[in-house]
Amino acid sequence: MRALHARYPFLAGARQTVKEADVDLASLVREDRAVVERATERVATALREGGVGDPHRSTRVELLSYPVARVLVSLVDERICTRKYARAEAERAIERFTNEREAGAELKSARTEKLSVADLLEEFELAGAVRETDSGYRVAVGTYLELAANVWGDEWRLVNRTLADGDVHIRREELDTLLEEAIAKRVERGLPLGVPDSIADELDEEVERLRETLADLDLTREIDTVVPERFPPCMKALLDSIQKGEHLEHHSRFAITAFLTSIGMSTDEIVDLYMVNSSFGEEMTRYQTDHIRGETSPTEYSAPSCATMQSYGDCVNKDDICEDVINESHPMSYYEHRLDEAEEDELVDWRDEGGDGNEGETASG
């Protein structure tokens, strides 16, 4: 089995390799605990942190854990689990791809097999729709609309792009974003699978663990209390920037908006919050917020994980809870912990107090 396929298990070549190996899936999940444990880690890490965990040292285990992970996702059979898993696999693949591309000469000298942009375009049948230019790429408008449909940010809307001769101009780094969308669609395609009882029965324990993990996450989705003094430090900082009328980068704006929708704030309330910002546009803010909450898109977005916040430079002012209690997992876990440790009469919803964020904890929430 090729190391390339273990790193990129969604490739058609990887699927063919597994098929040619004639692996009996029922025997695999019954007899190979290393594969099952790695597969479970892939899904559990996707749910908790938005990643897929560290690769196994064995190429065989790493590659075979991917189809088993898809089986686990199918047995859990929850839409949010499927979406989170597909997104995590796609993000990890693009992260690995960009790292390998930047280390091209070193990898070549080490004879490490790697993918090129051309390889990925060919893999997803995009070679005829994407053409390289001196400044980036030209993407056929139909292909662009399909791949960018779920990408958040007003810069991805067609009205804000340069369109010429039926092609959309994109920067080189933006192609990675579109390729990530293509990978996520590939991973999610066909899920949930039909799983025979002979396989499902062997995975009962792992599926129950994943459902418990998902149930813990679902608890945070039911929060309908806005108490800024209990926000994680990263979200406090972003909220403070909004209230000061400071410009927020696209990723920062997405993070705080997704967080606020997750804790129960309505679109109208979030629009009102942004009104003090110099770059405020009500129509665009409303559109973006509705997009994040899934009103105008097929995906309901959750707030980014701590790892994602760190990668974008939005993780600031970490405290002991970040490091010792939630282990830098997710801002929602932090917020839930802070709410749980408070007495009920200490938690006064910010919206009930006018929402200017300047009162004390029991007055401002």
Side-chain angles (χ1 to χ4, degrees), residues 228-229 239-240 243 350 353-361 363-365:
E229 289 297 321
L239 179 62
D240 184 54
Q243 293 176 311
W350 184 35
E353 296 293 332
D356 64 13
N358 292 322
E359 302 91 341
E361 178 169 315
S364 69

Side-chain angles (χ1 to χ4, degrees), residues 6-200:
R7 299 201 308 278
Y8 302 102
F10 55 85
L11 295 175
R15 185 167 61 251
Q16 185 63 28
T17 294
V18 173
K19 182 179 180 180
E20 291 173 354
D22 197 23
V23 176
D24 179 68
L25 199 55
S27 299
L28 182 69
V29 299
R30 182 174 61 251
E31 300 170 3
D32 199 325
R33 294 308 306 169
V35 170
V36 173
E37 289 171 4
R38 174 67 183 118
T40 306
E41 180 189 27
R42 291 183 96 109
V43 183
T45 308
L47 293 176
R48 291 193 305 262
E49 303 172 17
V52 292
D54 295 329
H56 197 278
R57 61 182 180 276
S58 164
T59 296
R60 175 184 178 277
V61 170
E62 184 67 9
L63 176 55
L64 293 180
S65 70
Y66 175 74
V68 175
R70 285 169 55 83
V71 168
L72 289 170
V73 169
S74 299
L75 292 171
V76 172
D77 195 17
E78 293 286 349
R79 180 63 180 146
I80 188 173
C81 179
T82 303
R83 289 203 310 263
K84 280 181 170 289
Y85 173 68
R87 178 57 57 189
E89 288 281 7
E91 288 184 1
R92 182 66 186 96
I94 287 299
E95 179 186 9
R96 179 179 284 124
F97 173 70
T98 54
N99 288 342
E100 290 177 358
R101 183 176 59 199
E102 291 169 2
E106 179 182 342
L107 285 173
K108 185 176 181 180
S109 64
R111 295 185 179 179
T112 300
E113 191 177 11
K114 66 187 186 76
L115 290 176
S116 67
V117 171
D119 291 331
L120 282 178
L121 292 177
E122 188 69 31
E123 175 73 25
F124 293 105
E125 299 180 353
L126 297 173
V130 179
R131 291 178 293 162
E132 189 170 9
T133 69
D134 292 339
S135 59
Y137 292 90
R138 294 167 61 113
V139 184
V141 64
T143 299
Y144 176 86
L145 290 173
E146 179 183 355
L147 293 176
N150 292 328
V151 182
W152 189 85
D154 57 320
E155 69 268 30
W156 289 96
R157 299 182 69 191
L158 190 59
V159 295
N160 295 324
R161 311 300 305 199
T162 300
L163 179 64
D165 299 324
D167 290 333
V168 180
H169 291 257
I170 64 172
R171 301 189 306 275
R172 295 182 187 279
E173 60 270 23
E174 289 177 323
L175 181 62
D176 291 340
T177 300
L178 297 184
L179 288 172
E180 182 179 313
E181 293 299 310
I183 295 169
K185 288 176 183 290
R186 167 77 62 87
V187 174
E188 191 171 347
R189 189 172 63 197
L191 297 178
L193 306 166
V195 182
D197 290 343
S198 59
I199 296 174

